[in-house]
Amino acid sequence: MKTISGRVIKAVASKFWVDTDDGVRVCFARKKLKADGAIYVGDRAEIVRDRDACVIEKVLPRANALVRPYVANVDVCLVVVAPEPEPDLLLADKVIVNCLAEGIRPVLVWNKSDLEKGDLAEYNGVCETLECSAETGEGIDALASSIRGQTACFAGQSAVGKSSIINALLDSPALEVGELAKKIKRGRHTTRRAEIIPLGEGTYLVDTCGFSMLDAVDVPPEELRLYFDDFEKFRPECRFNTCLHLDEPDCAVKAHLGCGVGRGRYERYKLIYAELDDRRKNKYD
Ligand SMILES: Nc1nc2c(ncn2[C@@H]2O[C@H](COP(=O)(O)OP(=O)(O)OP(=O)(O)O)[C@@H](O)[C@H]2O)c(=O)[nH]1
Ligand SMILES: [Mg+2]
Ligand SMILES: [Zn+2]
């Protein structure tokens, strides 16, 4: 039996689409790989032809993985926000923490700049930021250069325009896009599952479903600060080297609120910290 390798680009029910040098093959999975989470979109896999069907035999070790959205082997994650629906920066900050913990480069993208310009100054020193409009094409070239040759996953709330940006990056639109008004009324998500769209020259785009709830990654609460680069640069000036920037005296992060540290970022840090702390308490209660 000939083994060929490829990348899982789509999964529907028990079928997997695997992109190989010979084109895309629709595969089933070996029984041992049927458990939830055994195969993610983005996984690199070995497949064999077994009688008439192609079968995934083995999943290669993952470089990294995200759980919201479920996707593996990502280089960069475009965290998309827009003037409408109202930006949920707590969600964006959690996605950014999850990316940094997994070694994925986060980029915060303000889409729909045709409707309203974004103000992402708070994210200076946190991650790269970009503004674009899938509608007018503004900023799309800059976004394309930022992700060239990489696997780029689009994440964020429903209706911010993830699929629309991917369509703008493609020569001809390939993805279904939903209407905001209809979505709000019906609470409908247009994209139902993660899917990889190869863009050529080693660039892969991962479209995902919108989400509004996310657990921050499972890091001990004391380590959360390590994923806030904008705070970390002031830590040497805090009185205590172990400062969590919460109730400690002479905290340099608090001293820089509004001038070097965004007040919103700080409030969201406290919320994420409290969530991680609660989770730990529940674990040991
Ligand atoms: N004005 C404007 N509208 C946009 C832009 N990008 C997307 N939209 C609109 O926003 C709505 C939602 O776009 P989608 O691309 O379906 O959003 P999504 O993030 O993929 O949503 P889900 O698949 O549900 O997660 C559609 O009506 C788009 O036409 C933009 O740059 N400007
Ligand atoms: Mg979509
Ligand atoms: Zn401090």
Side-chain angles (χ1 to χ4, degrees):
M1 266 189 299
K2 192 172 140 216
T3 303
I4 53 174
S5 55
R7 189 159 197 203
V8 180
I9 58 170
K10 186 169 136 183
V12 179
S14 58
K15 279 192 209 154
F16 299 88
W17 280 249
V18 180
D19 187 26
T20 75
D21 286 344
D22 290 340
V24 176
R25 300 287 175 83
V26 181
C27 306
F28 293 95
R30 279 274 179 258
K31 209 170 179 180
K32 62 179 182 197
L33 293 174
K34 291 228 164 104
D36 265 358
I39 303 175
Y40 277 6
V41 165
D43 270 330
R44 294 178 203 285
E46 287 179 356
I47 63 176
V48 294
R49 181 171 276 284
D50 190 353
R51 284 182 223 110
D52 296 328
C54 283
V55 179
I56 299 181
E57 196 59 60
K58 187 176 169 189
V59 171
L60 303 183
R62 289 174 187 148
N64 57 46
L66 289 173
V67 290
R68 271 297 175 92
Y70 281 108
V71 50
N73 302 318
V74 178
D75 300 305
V76 44
C77 179
L78 300 154
V79 186
V80 184
V81 293
E84 60 171 37
E86 196 187 329
D88 183 345
L89 294 178
L90 178 61
L91 188 74
D93 283 345
K94 286 180 182 176
V95 178
I96 291 171
V97 169
N98 290 1
C99 287
L100 295 174
E102 283 291 306
I104 297 166
R105 175 171 67 98
V107 177
L108 186 62
V109 178
W110 178 275
N111 185 36
K112 311 196 188 183
S113 63
D114 55 296
L115 298 180
E116 197 181 312
K117 296 282 167 211
D119 180 8
L120 302 178
E122 248 196 335
Y123 287 85
N124 287 340
V126 177
C127 64
E128 189 188 334
T129 61
L130 286 170
E131 239 184 270
C132 71
S133 165
E135 187 79 21
T136 65
E138 185 199 1
I140 295 294
D141 285 345
L143 195 152
S145 344
S146 170
I147 62 172
R148 188 153 297 139
Q150 307 192 359
T151 295
C153 163
F154 290 75
Q157 296 151 268
S158 186
V160 290
K162 299 177 294 296
S163 303
S164 301
I165 297 174
I166 293 179
N167 280 341
L169 287 163
L170 298 169
D171 291 331
S172 52
L175 299 172
E176 193 198 343
V177 156
E179 275 174 51
L180 185 66
K182 280 193 195 149
K183 277 177 206 272
I184 288 169
K185 274 192 214 125
R186 291 196 239 145
R188 192 177 82 108
H189 293 243
T190 305
T191 305
R192 303 300 182 88
R193 53 181 70 86
E195 175 176 354
I196 298 191
I197 300 102
L199 192 63
E201 292 173 17
T203 308
Y204 290 88
L205 308 173
V206 192
D207 193 18
T208 72
C209 352
F211 52 93
S212 54
M213 298 273 285
L214 175 69
D215 281 337
V217 77
D218 203 5
V219 295
E222 309 75 54
E223 287 178 20
L224 180 64
R225 60 186 179 152
L226 302 176
Y227 303 106
F228 278 67
D229 282 348
D230 43 339
F231 296 10
E232 268 301 281
K233 69 169 187 254
F234 294 113
R235 189 164 52 95
E237 297 168 33
C238 293
R239 187 199 297 184
F240 299 110
N241 187 38
T242 53
C243 190
L244 299 171
H245 323 307
L246 296 169
D247 303 317
E248 296 91 339
D250 299 328
C251 168
V253 169
K254 276 190 282 178
H256 282 91
L257 281 182
C259 55
V261 174
R263 289 180 193 279
R265 276 280 286 175
Y266 182 69
E267 289 308 313
R268 296 190 295 274
Y269 167 80
K270 287 202 291 189
L271 289 172
I272 302 173
Y273 182 93
E275 202 178 288
L276 293 175
D277 201 37
D278 270 357
R279 203 195 302 170
R280 178 165 62 186
K281 281 184 191 133
N282 290 334
K283 225 191 235 172
Y284 296 110
D285 271 356

